[in-house]
Amino acid sequence: MATDLTLPIGAYSVGATYPDQIAIVAADDTTTTFGLLLERGNRLSNALRALGLRNGDVVAYLLRNEPSFFEVALGVEQVGMYRVPINAHLTPAEVAYIVRDSDARVLVASHDLAAALAPVLDELVEHRFVVGTPVAGWHDYEAWLTAADAGTPADRRLGATMGYTSGTTGAPKGVRRSLAAILPEEVLPAMDRMTRLFGFRAFDGVHLVMAPLYHSAPNTFAVNALHLGHTVVLQPRFDAEAFLTAVAKHHVTSTHLVPTHFHRLLELPEEVRAAADLDSLETVVAAGAPFPPNLKARALAWLGPVVWEYLASTEGLVSVISPTEAMAHPGSVGRLIDAKILDENGEPVAAGEAGLIYFPAGQPPFRYHNDPLKTAATVRADGYATAGDIGRVDPAGYLYLLDRRVDLIITGGVNVYPAEVEQHLAEHPAVADVAVVGMPDPEWGNQVVAVVQLADGEHHRELLPAELDRFCRSVLTRAKCPRHYEFVDTLPRTETGKLLRRVVRDTLSSSNGARPWTLRR
């Protein structure tokens, strides 16, 4: 098959032109061809239309890393509807909230996840379908598809994903974009924009998915890989040794990881990593959480110049940095892509100064579903939006992420960016993971507190606060150095590696202000 195409031709066209090409390899090694994927996507499109759904309607799905995820994605997006992937780790009440808030008319769920929704069954939509083992109160997904027409649906029109924000700073909100009256194939070059930034090629790749598909980044990269004609290999969850095995077995060329995954890979014994056959890897993309420079340097030294990083959110893309640039500009997340840094008055800041990061909100701009106030607070009149990230750009044009605006600590009138302090503390050999938060203080307004997960091995906790304090003071100003240290077995993070600072703060608050490792100054 040709490998010199410069633009993707789309999963729909690949299915029609190269029906025997392998599209998906499931965790049990069963395969789905592009021809079969197209057929089942068509059946789903026609089944939705038979239920009375039309352009602009919403289909929610609660699925694990399985082929049905892509059937729903392709089926929904070729008939002008919105697809809403839901986090499989949410509680039944949280799932019900998203189904209601999104105005979904159909819900598709894996059998175990459908069974867990029994307590909220009456709150869910009538049209609900279970994939796999039957569940009381649910219609059979396979029977529904089998009864539908397998032909190309009439009136094809591009749909979209309405991803829900993680909700780490409040209730999740759907990020909704208006639908254009165009065919799905007409937008493929734009959909492929982010993919092409990382050097992917049409018909020449195998993409490994070990992160949950319900998250926007793994979802986007995997669907774009299919549109490029790549084979997508699915694994249920991330496991470091299983990752090495899968890359060698399937000759994987690309994957999307979070920094936590790199940490776990680099914790493997040296002899295990040395024996792994990773020669096929061309692009390993990292995002989802701050990537400590020392960890990234170790990853590049091991894997070679294949580790890319980008800064983005469900709302939009900010920057990308190549492996070569990363080695020359450690700690940067790359050059801005049509983005800009503004101060509190909406004016551009000078090089080196901190400000809010704004990026194009799209044409037309996105809006938060059912939340016009949040939309107005996020999207400017000029079409630029912010996810609340604070950063600075150096004179060479490289962006350095400082923190989220909501996480900013103001102590004694000084702004402290937790990510900056965490990045430095993570360099200490005794620190495996760290969260820095601000806690109320009657004198200073807030005190800087570090919650540390220790690296493997014996460490004298009674000596560490003073040692870590000296380590911080060697680089950071006094105001940025934590006044309190606490040690925990693990820190709360999402599956995409995002630190749940709110959980850390709530846990500290519930400890009645006890600070066992306090530094007196």
Side-chain angles (χ1 to χ4, degrees):
M1 187 178 296
T3 60
D4 58 352
L5 298 181
T6 57
L7 290 177
I9 61 173
Y12 309 106
S13 297
V14 176
T17 310
Y18 305 103
D20 296 329
Q21 173 82 357
I22 300 299
I24 302 167
V25 180
D28 62 359
D29 284 339
T30 58
T31 61
T32 301
T33 64
F34 273 97
L36 180 57
L37 180 61
L38 173 62
E39 176 194 322
R40 292 178 68 82
N42 286 345
R43 288 184 185 275
L44 189 128
S45 300
N46 291 319
L48 292 172
R49 289 269 180 80
L51 289 178
L53 274 71
R54 294 295 179 262
N55 291 346
D57 282 334
V58 178
V59 177
Y61 54 116
L62 185 65
L63 296 169
R64 305 222 180 255
N65 287 10
E66 52 190 302
S68 54
F69 188 99
F70 298 106
E71 297 167 6
V72 174
L74 296 179
V76 168
E77 288 199 357
Q78 73 167 335
V79 285
M81 300 177 192
Y82 291 95
R83 62 183 178 103
V84 177
I86 301 178
N87 188 325
H89 291 282
L90 296 182
T91 66
E94 290 169 328
V95 171
Y97 161 80
I98 291 179
V99 172
R100 289 193 307 271
D101 186 76
S102 67
D103 301 316
R105 295 190 59 192
V106 171
L107 174 62
V108 180
S110 300
H111 65 92
D112 59 325
L113 301 175
L117 295 179
V120 296
L121 199 62
D122 293 340
E123 303 177 44
L124 302 177
V125 292
E126 175 186 0
H127 301 305
R128 50 185 182 264
F129 299 90
V130 59
V131 177
T133 307
V135 174
W138 293 72
H139 303 290
D140 183 72
Y141 173 83
E142 193 61 37
W144 180 48
L145 250 63
T146 301
D149 186 352
T152 302
D155 188 26
R156 293 175 74 245
R157 177 179 174 179
L158 178 69
T161 303
M162 183 165 71
Y164 267 69
T165 59
S166 62
T168 55
T169 57
K173 294 297 178 184
V175 180
R176 187 178 178 109
R177 290 177 166 83
S178 297
L179 300 176
I182 60 176
L183 291 172
E185 288 79 6
E186 291 182 64
V187 81
L188 282 174
M191 288 176 63
D192 181 46
R193 180 191 181 201
M194 187 166 68
T195 302
R196 285 186 290 110
L197 287 172
F198 304 99
F200 287 30
R201 297 185 298 275
F203 291 129
D204 188 18
V206 177
H207 186 74
L208 174 63
V209 178
M210 295 191 88
L213 280 169
Y214 50 73
H215 283 296
S216 60
N219 176 344
T220 299
F221 273 84
V223 171
N224 278 358
L226 286 174
H227 282 310
L228 283 165
H230 292 192
T231 297
V232 172
V233 177
L234 298 178
Q235 295 289 305
R237 66 189 61 83
F238 183 84
D239 176 86
E241 292 200 49
F243 173 88
L244 302 182
T245 300
V247 170
K249 178 179 179 179
H250 299 285
H251 305 290
V252 169
T253 59
S254 67
T255 190
H256 188 288
L257 303 177
V258 300
T260 300
H261 295 155
F262 287 95
H263 178 76
R264 293 176 184 172
L265 284 165
L266 289 164
E267 280 189 324
L268 290 173
E270 174 65 30
E271 60 271 19
V272 173
R273 290 190 285 116
D277 180 4
L278 306 179
D279 290 347
S280 61
L281 282 176
E282 298 175 357
T283 306
V284 181
V285 184
F291 202 156
N294 64 324
L295 180 64
K296 189 172 184 180
R298 292 175 61 202
L300 284 164
W302 172 41
L303 296 173
V306 299
V307 181
W308 295 68
E309 186 181 4
Y310 68 93
L311 177 64
S313 62
T314 305
E315 291 86 343
L317 176 65
V318 173
S319 63
V320 174
I321 189 163
S322 70
T324 303
E325 291 173 306
M327 289 185 280
H329 302 274
S332 173
V333 288
R335 293 181 179 272
L336 297 175
I337 301 176
D338 300 327
K340 52 190 177 182
I341 313 294
L342 305 179
D343 63 19
E344 295 289 343
N345 299 317
E347 297 296 325
V349 303
E353 292 185 5
L356 275 175
I357 302 171
Y358 282 84
F359 50 84
Q363 291 297 330
F366 72 83
R367 61 183 172 86
Y368 291 106
H369 188 56
N370 293 333
D371 199 335
L373 293 179
K374 183 175 176 66
T375 301
T378 302
V379 183
R380 289 164 46 101
D382 63 0
Y384 277 77
T386 182
D389 290 324
I390 299 173
R392 63 175 178 84
V393 175
D394 68 15
Y398 284 87
L399 173 66
Y400 294 80
L401 182 64
L402 296 175
D403 225 311
R404 298 296 306 276
R405 186 175 188 175
V406 295
D407 295 323
L408 177 68
I409 302 169
I410 303 177
T411 177
V414 177
N415 289 349
V416 176
Y417 301 105
E420 180 184 11
V421 184
E422 289 165 356
Q423 189 174 92
H424 180 60
L425 282 171
E427 301 272 352
H428 194 282
V431 177
D433 199 2
V434 59
V436 172
V437 297
M439 298 301 295
D441 182 272
E443 180 180 1
W444 300 96
N446 280 284
Q447 284 284 2
V448 180
V449 178
V451 182
V452 176
Q453 176 184 329
L454 295 176
D456 292 339
E458 293 296 325
H459 298 286
H460 297 288
R461 294 190 179 195
E462 68 276 9
L463 302 179
L464 267 180
E467 180 181 333
L468 293 176
D469 183 53
R470 287 192 296 271
F471 187 70
C472 277
R473 283 172 174 250
S474 67
V475 172
L476 305 175
T477 61
R478 178 173 177 173
K480 296 178 182 179
C481 296
R483 285 288 297 273
H484 308 286
Y485 287 88
E486 297 198 10
F487 301 98
V488 295
D489 293 331
T490 186
L491 285 169
R493 289 187 179 273
T494 68
E495 283 191 310
T496 55
K498 290 182 180 179
L499 179 66
L500 299 175
R501 293 188 196 276
R502 185 175 58 184
V503 175
V504 175
R505 283 191 290 262
D506 290 348
T507 302
L508 289 174
S509 297
S510 67
S511 66
N512 297 317
R515 301 281 181 267
W517 307 111
T518 302
L519 290 165
R520 301 296 181 189
R521 297 190 183 131

